[in-house]
mmCIF file of all heavy atoms in Angstrom:
data_model
loop_
_atom_site.group_PDB
_atom_site.id
_atom_site.type_symbol
_atom_site.label_atom_id
_atom_site.label_comp_id
_atom_site.label_asym_id
_atom_site.label_seq_id
_atom_site.Cartn_x
_atom_site.Cartn_y
_atom_site.Cartn_z
ATOM 1 N N GLU F 116 -10.971 4.826 77.715
ATOM 2 C CA GLU F 116 -11.305 3.804 76.725
ATOM 3 C C GLU F 116 -11.720 2.501 77.408
ATOM 4 O O GLU F 116 -12.618 1.794 76.936
ATOM 5 C CB GLU F 116 -10.116 3.550 75.784
ATOM 6 C CG GLU F 116 -9.703 4.755 74.957
ATOM 7 C CD GLU F 116 -10.807 5.241 74.024
ATOM 8 O OE1 GLU F 116 -11.652 4.425 73.593
ATOM 9 O OE2 GLU F 116 -10.839 6.446 73.707
ATOM 10 N N CYS F 117 -11.082 2.195 78.540
ATOM 11 C CA CYS F 117 -11.444 0.995 79.307
ATOM 12 C C CYS F 117 -12.885 1.091 79.795
ATOM 13 O O CYS F 117 -13.640 0.096 79.736
ATOM 14 C CB CYS F 117 -10.513 0.828 80.505
ATOM 15 S SG CYS F 117 -8.808 0.450 80.085
ATOM 16 N N LYS F 118 -13.263 2.257 80.284
ATOM 17 C CA LYS F 118 -14.641 2.434 80.764
ATOM 18 C C LYS F 118 -15.644 2.254 79.625
ATOM 19 O O LYS F 118 -16.709 1.668 79.824
ATOM 20 C CB LYS F 118 -14.799 3.810 81.428
ATOM 21 C CG LYS F 118 -14.103 3.906 82.769
ATOM 22 C CD LYS F 118 -14.564 5.079 83.596
ATOM 23 C CE LYS F 118 -14.129 6.389 83.017
ATOM 24 N NZ LYS F 118 -14.448 7.529 83.917
ATOM 25 N N ARG F 119 -15.275 2.727 78.437
ATOM 26 C CA ARG F 119 -16.134 2.522 77.265
ATOM 27 C C ARG F 119 -16.275 1.025 76.978
ATOM 28 O O ARG F 119 -17.373 0.530 76.734
ATOM 29 C CB ARG F 119 -15.544 3.241 76.051
ATOM 30 C CG ARG F 119 -16.286 2.938 74.750
ATOM 31 C CD ARG F 119 -15.595 3.540 73.533
ATOM 32 N NE ARG F 119 -14.200 3.196 73.394
ATOM 33 C CZ ARG F 119 -13.755 2.021 72.940
ATOM 34 N NH1 ARG F 119 -14.593 1.063 72.606
ATOM 35 N NH2 ARG F 119 -12.455 1.807 72.820
ATOM 36 N N MET F 120 -15.158 0.305 77.025
ATOM 37 C CA MET F 120 -15.190 -1.144 76.785
ATOM 38 C C MET F 120 -16.084 -1.845 77.805
ATOM 39 O O MET F 120 -16.864 -2.734 77.464
ATOM 40 C CB MET F 120 -13.775 -1.730 76.883
ATOM 41 C CG MET F 120 -12.804 -1.298 75.826
ATOM 42 S SD MET F 120 -11.146 -1.895 76.264
ATOM 43 C CE MET F 120 -10.158 -1.179 74.959
ATOM 44 N N LEU F 121 -15.960 -1.439 79.071
ATOM 45 C CA LEU F 121 -16.719 -2.072 80.148
ATOM 46 C C LEU F 121 -18.222 -1.782 80.065
ATOM 47 O O LEU F 121 -19.010 -2.442 80.735
ATOM 48 C CB LEU F 121 -16.178 -1.630 81.510
ATOM 49 C CG LEU F 121 -14.817 -2.211 81.904
ATOM 50 C CD1 LEU F 121 -14.240 -1.477 83.096
ATOM 51 C CD2 LEU F 121 -14.919 -3.706 82.181
ATOM 52 N N ALA F 122 -18.596 -0.812 79.267
ATOM 53 C CA ALA F 122 -20.017 -0.488 79.085
ATOM 54 C C ALA F 122 -20.575 -1.080 77.792
ATOM 55 O O ALA F 122 -21.764 -0.942 77.508
ATOM 56 C CB ALA F 122 -20.205 1.027 79.083
ATOM 57 N N ASP F 123 -19.728 -1.760 77.031
ATOM 58 C CA ASP F 123 -20.110 -2.266 75.711
ATOM 59 C C ASP F 123 -20.425 -3.760 75.797
ATOM 60 O O ASP F 123 -19.518 -4.593 75.908
ATOM 61 C CB ASP F 123 -18.959 -2.019 74.730
ATOM 62 C CG ASP F 123 -19.295 -2.407 73.303
ATOM 63 O OD1 ASP F 123 -20.306 -3.109 73.085
ATOM 64 O OD2 ASP F 123 -18.521 -2.023 72.404
ATOM 65 N N ASP F 124 -21.696 -4.120 75.726
ATOM 66 C CA ASP F 124 -22.054 -5.531 75.884
ATOM 67 C C ASP F 124 -21.756 -6.373 74.647
ATOM 68 O O ASP F 124 -21.981 -7.588 74.647
ATOM 69 C CB ASP F 124 -23.519 -5.700 76.324
ATOM 70 C CG ASP F 124 -24.519 -5.205 75.298
ATOM 71 O OD1 ASP F 124 -24.104 -4.810 74.188
ATOM 72 O OD2 ASP F 124 -25.720 -5.221 75.609
ATOM 73 N N SER F 125 -21.222 -5.747 73.589
ATOM 74 C CA SER F 125 -20.804 -6.537 72.426
ATOM 75 C C SER F 125 -19.390 -7.098 72.612
ATOM 76 O O SER F 125 -18.965 -7.979 71.858
ATOM 77 C CB SER F 125 -20.862 -5.694 71.146
ATOM 78 O OG SER F 125 -19.770 -4.794 71.076
ATOM 79 N N ILE F 126 -18.663 -6.605 73.604
ATOM 80 C CA ILE F 126 -17.307 -7.105 73.876
ATOM 81 C C ILE F 126 -17.397 -8.233 74.906
ATOM 82 O O ILE F 126 -17.903 -8.040 76.009
ATOM 83 C CB ILE F 126 -16.371 -5.990 74.382
ATOM 84 C CG1 ILE F 126 -16.290 -4.851 73.356
ATOM 85 C CG2 ILE F 126 -14.971 -6.549 74.660
ATOM 86 C CD1 ILE F 126 -15.457 -3.659 73.796
ATOM 87 N N ASP F 127 -16.906 -9.389 74.522
ATOM 88 C CA ASP F 127 -17.014 -10.576 75.369
ATOM 89 C C ASP F 127 -15.893 -10.676 76.400
ATOM 90 O O ASP F 127 -16.123 -11.070 77.543
ATOM 91 C CB ASP F 127 -16.995 -11.845 74.503
ATOM 92 C CG ASP F 127 -18.141 -11.868 73.513
ATOM 93 O OD1 ASP F 127 -19.301 -11.874 73.958
ATOM 94 O OD2 ASP F 127 -17.883 -11.871 72.296
ATOM 95 N N VAL F 128 -14.666 -10.366 75.981
ATOM 96 C CA VAL F 128 -13.503 -10.522 76.858
ATOM 97 C C VAL F 128 -12.595 -9.304 76.725
ATOM 98 O O VAL F 128 -12.283 -8.875 75.614
ATOM 99 C CB VAL F 128 -12.693 -11.802 76.510
ATOM 100 C CG1 VAL F 128 -11.470 -11.935 77.414
ATOM 101 C CG2 VAL F 128 -13.566 -13.048 76.619
ATOM 102 N N ILE F 129 -12.181 -8.763 77.880
ATOM 103 C CA ILE F 129 -11.273 -7.615 77.903
ATOM 104 C C ILE F 129 -10.062 -7.975 78.747
ATOM 105 O O ILE F 129 -10.196 -8.543 79.832
ATOM 106 C CB ILE F 129 -11.943 -6.373 78.518
ATOM 107 C CG1 ILE F 129 -13.247 -6.031 77.809
ATOM 108 C CG2 ILE F 129 -10.991 -5.178 78.482
ATOM 109 C CD1 ILE F 129 -14.062 -4.949 78.512
ATOM 110 N N LEU F 130 -8.885 -7.616 78.254
ATOM 111 C CA LEU F 130 -7.649 -7.761 79.024
ATOM 112 C C LEU F 130 -7.155 -6.383 79.416
ATOM 113 O O LEU F 130 -6.929 -5.533 78.549
ATOM 114 C CB LEU F 130 -6.582 -8.480 78.190
ATOM 115 C CG LEU F 130 -5.161 -8.488 78.765
ATOM 116 C CD1 LEU F 130 -5.095 -9.177 80.130
ATOM 117 C CD2 LEU F 130 -4.188 -9.139 77.778
ATOM 118 N N PHE F 131 -7.000 -6.163 80.731
ATOM 119 C CA PHE F 131 -6.372 -4.944 81.245
ATOM 120 C C PHE F 131 -4.985 -5.333 81.726
ATOM 121 O O PHE F 131 -4.781 -5.723 82.878
ATOM 122 C CB PHE F 131 -7.201 -4.332 82.383
ATOM 123 C CG PHE F 131 -8.544 -3.794 81.954
ATOM 124 C CD1 PHE F 131 -9.626 -3.844 82.812
ATOM 125 C CD2 PHE F 131 -8.716 -3.232 80.707
ATOM 126 C CE1 PHE F 131 -10.864 -3.342 82.435
ATOM 127 C CE2 PHE F 131 -9.951 -2.727 80.306
ATOM 128 C CZ PHE F 131 -11.024 -2.782 81.173
ATOM 129 N N ASP F 132 -4.027 -5.230 80.821
ATOM 130 C CA ASP F 132 -2.661 -5.680 81.081
ATOM 131 C C ASP F 132 -1.907 -4.647 81.912
ATOM 132 O O ASP F 132 -1.784 -3.494 81.504
ATOM 133 C CB ASP F 132 -1.961 -5.928 79.741
ATOM 134 C CG ASP F 132 -0.606 -6.578 79.894
ATOM 135 O OD1 ASP F 132 -0.444 -7.415 80.810
ATOM 136 O OD2 ASP F 132 0.287 -6.266 79.087
ATOM 137 N N GLU F 133 -1.424 -5.056 83.080
ATOM 138 C CA GLU F 133 -0.654 -4.219 84.009
ATOM 139 C C GLU F 133 -1.492 -3.131 84.684
ATOM 140 O O GLU F 133 -0.941 -2.133 85.164
ATOM 141 C CB GLU F 133 0.556 -3.567 83.302
ATOM 142 C CG GLU F 133 1.340 -4.487 82.393
ATOM 143 C CD GLU F 133 2.321 -5.403 83.105
ATOM 144 O OE1 GLU F 133 2.201 -5.570 84.330
ATOM 145 O OE2 GLU F 133 3.202 -5.946 82.429
ATOM 146 N N LEU F 134 -2.782 -3.312 84.753
ATOM 147 C CA LEU F 134 -3.648 -2.321 85.416
ATOM 148 C C LEU F 134 -3.310 -2.175 86.904
ATOM 149 O O LEU F 134 -3.478 -1.097 87.472
ATOM 150 C CB LEU F 134 -5.117 -2.719 85.248
ATOM 151 C CG LEU F 134 -6.144 -1.842 85.986
ATOM 152 C CD1 LEU F 134 -6.145 -0.419 85.445
ATOM 153 C CD2 LEU F 134 -7.535 -2.446 85.891
ATOM 154 N N THR F 135 -2.837 -3.244 87.531
ATOM 155 C CA THR F 135 -2.578 -3.194 88.980
ATOM 156 C C THR F 135 -1.616 -2.066 89.345
ATOM 157 O O THR F 135 -1.766 -1.442 90.388
ATOM 158 C CB THR F 135 -1.998 -4.530 89.491
ATOM 159 O OG1 THR F 135 -0.760 -4.792 88.821
ATOM 160 C CG2 THR F 135 -2.973 -5.674 89.268
ATOM 161 N N TYR F 136 -0.639 -1.802 88.492
ATOM 162 C CA TYR F 136 0.332 -0.736 88.766
ATOM 163 C C TYR F 136 -0.332 0.636 88.768
ATOM 164 O O TYR F 136 0.024 1.506 89.560
ATOM 165 C CB TYR F 136 1.452 -0.734 87.717
ATOM 166 C CG TYR F 136 2.317 -1.964 87.729
ATOM 167 C CD1 TYR F 136 2.094 -2.996 86.836
ATOM 168 C CD2 TYR F 136 3.380 -2.092 88.626
ATOM 169 C CE1 TYR F 136 2.893 -4.129 86.832
ATOM 170 C CE2 TYR F 136 4.186 -3.213 88.628
ATOM 171 C CZ TYR F 136 3.938 -4.229 87.731
ATOM 172 O OH TYR F 136 4.735 -5.341 87.730
ATOM 173 N N MET F 137 -1.276 0.830 87.870
ATOM 174 C CA MET F 137 -1.947 2.128 87.775
ATOM 175 C C MET F 137 -2.720 2.440 89.052
ATOM 176 O O MET F 137 -2.763 3.585 89.502
ATOM 177 C CB MET F 137 -2.909 2.149 86.573
ATOM 178 C CG MET F 137 -2.257 1.881 85.223
ATOM 179 S SD MET F 137 -0.957 3.062 84.780
ATOM 180 C CE MET F 137 0.527 2.156 85.234
ATOM 181 N N VAL F 138 -3.301 1.393 89.654
ATOM 182 C CA VAL F 138 -4.015 1.554 90.918
ATOM 183 C C VAL F 138 -3.008 1.796 92.045
ATOM 184 O O VAL F 138 -3.181 2.701 92.860
ATOM 185 C CB VAL F 138 -4.888 0.311 91.211
ATOM 186 C CG1 VAL F 138 -5.482 0.374 92.616
ATOM 187 C CG2 VAL F 138 -5.998 0.196 90.165
ATOM 188 N N SER F 139 -1.934 1.023 92.069
ATOM 189 C CA SER F 139 -0.912 1.152 93.122
ATOM 190 C C SER F 139 -0.276 2.542 93.120
ATOM 191 O O SER F 139 -0.025 3.116 94.170
ATOM 192 C CB SER F 139 0.191 0.105 92.939
ATOM 193 O OG SER F 139 -0.326 -1.190 93.056
ATOM 194 N N TYR F 140 0.002 3.068 91.922
ATOM 195 C CA TYR F 140 0.653 4.375 91.805
ATOM 196 C C TYR F 140 -0.317 5.535 91.972
ATOM 197 O O TYR F 140 0.098 6.694 92.029
ATOM 198 C CB TYR F 140 1.355 4.511 90.448
ATOM 199 C CG TYR F 140 2.478 3.532 90.192
ATOM 200 C CD1 TYR F 140 2.844 3.194 88.897
ATOM 201 C CD2 TYR F 140 3.184 2.935 91.240
ATOM 202 C CE1 TYR F 140 3.875 2.298 88.639
ATOM 203 C CE2 TYR F 140 4.211 2.040 90.990
ATOM 204 C CZ TYR F 140 4.550 1.719 89.696
ATOM 205 O OH TYR F 140 5.560 0.831 89.445
ATOM 206 N N GLY F 141 -1.615 5.242 92.003
ATOM 207 C CA GLY F 141 -2.612 6.294 92.151
ATOM 208 C C GLY F 141 -2.931 7.023 90.861
ATOM 209 O O GLY F 141 -3.535 8.099 90.881
ATOM 210 N N TYR F 142 -2.561 6.453 89.720
ATOM 211 C CA TYR F 142 -2.864 7.083 88.431
ATOM 212 C C TYR F 142 -4.344 6.917 88.088
ATOM 213 O O TYR F 142 -4.922 7.732 87.375
ATOM 214 C CB TYR F 142 -2.025 6.481 87.302
ATOM 215 C CG TYR F 142 -0.534 6.654 87.443
ATOM 216 C CD1 TYR F 142 0.341 5.920 86.653
ATOM 217 C CD2 TYR F 142 0.022 7.552 88.358
ATOM 218 C CE1 TYR F 142 1.713 6.067 86.758
ATOM 219 C CE2 TYR F 142 1.392 7.702 88.472
ATOM 220 C CZ TYR F 142 2.234 6.958 87.671
ATOM 221 O OH TYR F 142 3.581 7.101 87.786
ATOM 222 N N ILE F 143 -4.917 5.805 88.561
ATOM 223 C CA ILE F 143 -6.336 5.527 88.371
ATOM 224 C C ILE F 143 -6.917 5.176 89.736
ATOM 225 O O ILE F 143 -6.322 4.391 90.480
ATOM 226 C CB ILE F 143 -6.553 4.357 87.388
ATOM 227 C CG1 ILE F 143 -5.957 4.689 86.013
ATOM 228 C CG2 ILE F 143 -8.031 4.019 87.253
ATOM 229 C CD1 ILE F 143 -5.951 3.525 85.040
ATOM 230 N N GLU F 144 -8.059 5.769 90.071
ATOM 231 C CA GLU F 144 -8.665 5.548 91.385
ATOM 232 C C GLU F 144 -9.244 4.140 91.502
ATOM 233 O O GLU F 144 -9.992 3.694 90.621
ATOM 234 C CB GLU F 144 -9.784 6.567 91.624
ATOM 235 C CG GLU F 144 -9.301 7.984 91.838
ATOM 236 C CD GLU F 144 -8.457 8.138 93.095
ATOM 237 O OE1 GLU F 144 -8.752 7.463 94.107
ATOM 238 O OE2 GLU F 144 -7.487 8.911 93.048
ATOM 239 N N LEU F 145 -8.897 3.465 92.581
ATOM 240 C CA LEU F 145 -9.396 2.120 92.829
ATOM 241 C C LEU F 145 -10.920 2.070 92.809
ATOM 242 O O LEU F 145 -11.508 1.179 92.183
ATOM 243 C CB LEU F 145 -8.874 1.600 94.177
ATOM 244 C CG LEU F 145 -9.457 0.264 94.641
ATOM 245 C CD1 LEU F 145 -9.047 -0.875 93.714
ATOM 246 C CD2 LEU F 145 -9.036 -0.021 96.076
ATOM 247 N N ASP F 146 -11.565 3.006 93.483
ATOM 248 C CA ASP F 146 -13.033 2.996 93.564
ATOM 249 C C ASP F 146 -13.671 3.076 92.181
ATOM 250 O O ASP F 146 -14.709 2.451 91.922
ATOM 251 C CB ASP F 146 -13.542 4.155 94.429
ATOM 252 C CG ASP F 146 -13.208 3.973 95.898
ATOM 253 O OD1 ASP F 146 -12.822 2.839 96.279
ATOM 254 O OD2 ASP F 146 -13.326 4.941 96.665
ATOM 255 N N GLU F 147 -13.039 3.837 91.297
ATOM 256 C CA GLU F 147 -13.568 3.981 89.935
ATOM 257 C C GLU F 147 -13.450 2.659 89.173
ATOM 258 O O GLU F 147 -14.351 2.263 88.437
ATOM 259 C CB GLU F 147 -12.793 5.089 89.214
ATOM 260 C CG GLU F 147 -13.508 5.654 88.027
ATOM 261 C CD GLU F 147 -12.778 6.843 87.414
ATOM 262 O OE1 GLU F 147 -12.074 7.565 88.139
ATOM 263 O OE2 GLU F 147 -12.933 7.025 86.199
ATOM 264 N N VAL F 148 -12.324 1.958 89.376
ATOM 265 C CA VAL F 148 -12.108 0.657 88.735
ATOM 266 C C VAL F 148 -13.135 -0.348 89.244
ATOM 267 O O VAL F 148 -13.781 -1.058 88.463
ATOM 268 C CB VAL F 148 -10.673 0.144 88.987
ATOM 269 C CG1 VAL F 148 -10.504 -1.278 88.456
ATOM 270 C CG2 VAL F 148 -9.644 1.081 88.355
#
Side-chain angles (χ1 to χ4, degrees):
E116 298 298 332
C117 293
K118 288 196 291 187
R119 173 186 53 77
M120 294 171 184
L121 288 167
D123 185 346
D124 64 5
S125 76
I126 302 176
D127 300 298
V128 179
I129 305 171
L130 170 60
F131 293 147
D132 188 35
E133 316 280 17
L134 175 64
T135 61
Y136 295 98
M137 301 301 99
V138 172
S139 298
Y140 297 155
Y142 298 166
I143 300 172
E144 290 296 324
L145 173 66
D146 291 346
E147 200 174 331
V148 173

